[in-house]
Amino acid sequence: MTNSQRPYGNSRTPLPPAQTPADGVPTPRTRTAEGDRPAPGGRQRDAFFDNAKYLAIVLVAVGHAWGQLLDDGAVETAYRVVYTFHMPAFILISGYFSRSFDLRAKHVQRLITGVVVPYVVFETAYSLFQRYGNDEPEHGITLLDPTYHLWFLCALFVWRITTPVWRTVKHPLPVSLVLAALGSVSPQIGDDLELQRVLQFLPFFVLGLTLRPEHFRMVKRRSVRLASVPVFVAAAVTAWATMPYMRLGWLYHSDSAQELGTAWWTGPVMVCATLGCSLVMTVCFLAWVPRRRMWFTSLGAGTIYGYLLHAFLVRAGNYTDFYDRPALHEPLGVLGLTVFAAAAVTLLCTRPVQRALRCVVEPRMEWAFRRDAGEAARVREQPRPVEVRAPGEKVSV
């Protein structure tokens, strides 16, 4: 592997004065997802976060596959354990990398091209897929009722656009917990834009905004990794024992207490309890994420592709009654489906898929935005490079 810190062989230049890196900016020693090359814009990718995102998206895909086989007690137990932390981990990391978001033009443009445009494109695509793939000619296209997993894009838009608010208030995490509790007792919120999930998962995004690199260094300690083993075992036992009594809706965070058929006061209690369990499980998950570059590290940069695309396979299985086959309800069938889901989402995160669909998942769309006058002025004010010529050297015209 080459060392990008020495791009010109053995020639050396004087080192700049030592500076403390800004929050959230990896140091030059941080490995990148593409080897040792810096990411676009001069920033370098941390292998730990790319590994975490890849492993989380695999769990998302596997969880969606298991969700079709919940008549098996062991499968539902594993499903409940995974649903305790896979999306909270994604949301927490999303919050962590949104710390620098503000309402500057370049950030708003990225929010539109990286969240709004993919949501519109894929919400339309999934609606058409259901209309024709499931033979539902009356199925309409609506942008207010997210299909299946696309709720996350709606939530991410709301969370990120409100980031300046959370970075301004004095105690953002307690405020977000209050909003999550209020959402759990407000059935009138309805299903538009999945606002229940927006509110009930909000504390994890806000928590991510408040974290610093040193917090993740604490999670990586060997003692935390060892302690996580009995925690995972306890979580599995608890999931098995509470299966007859606890509805899955409490883990989805998509409904209020009244909609789940319980008294209103159970909403805040269950939200705080489930979010607390999710936090513990998320820490345990992150403790086992590899810190070094792995074979799948580069796939972490393409998890949005896997997230957006894998549900086509899940829905196709629903439309064709694929999951009703008896073989899939046997241990070997469950194992085969698990391996298939993990392999499929892995392929959907690869570079060929990224190159093919970047126009709709991460479009540049420079034509759609006004040029930021302030940014243009800063570019004009940058000093131009000085051409150095040897004595007597002529400049060719």
Side-chain angles (χ1 to χ4, degrees), residues 145-224:
D145 186 13
T147 298
Y148 200 35
H149 62 313
L150 295 182
W151 69 267
F152 178 69
L153 294 185
C154 294
L156 185 59
F157 177 83
V158 175
W159 295 333
R160 192 162 285 174
I161 205 72
T162 58
T163 293
V165 174
W166 303 115
R167 295 189 61 82
T168 300
V169 299
K170 191 173 183 179
H171 301 292
L173 192 56
V175 172
S176 68
L177 285 170
V178 170
L179 291 177
L182 291 175
S184 69
V185 297
S186 304
Q188 63 270 24
I189 289 178
D191 297 327
D192 289 349
L193 298 179
E194 290 283 354
L195 290 180
Q196 279 289 356
R197 279 174 163 157
V198 172
L199 291 176
Q200 294 191 35
F201 277 118
L202 174 63
F204 273 96
F205 184 82
V206 174
L207 176 61
L209 291 175
T210 64
L211 293 179
R212 294 292 179 266
E214 54 267 26
H215 295 125
F216 289 96
R217 287 195 290 270
M218 295 171 60
V219 168
K220 300 174 188 177
R221 293 176 179 174
R222 185 171 182 270
S223 58
V224 179

Side-chain angles (χ1 to χ4, degrees), residues 37 162 170 270 288 343 355 384:
R37 291 176 298 168
T162 58
K170 191 173 183 179
M270 289 299 295
W288 280 95
R355 284 194 294 266
R384 295 183 178 180

Side-chain angles (χ1 to χ4, degrees), residues 21-44:
D23 288 340
V25 180
T27 66
R29 294 182 179 272
T30 304
R31 286 185 175 270
T32 68
E34 310 295 341
D36 289 333
R37 291 176 298 168
R43 295 174 66 100
Q44 292 180 314

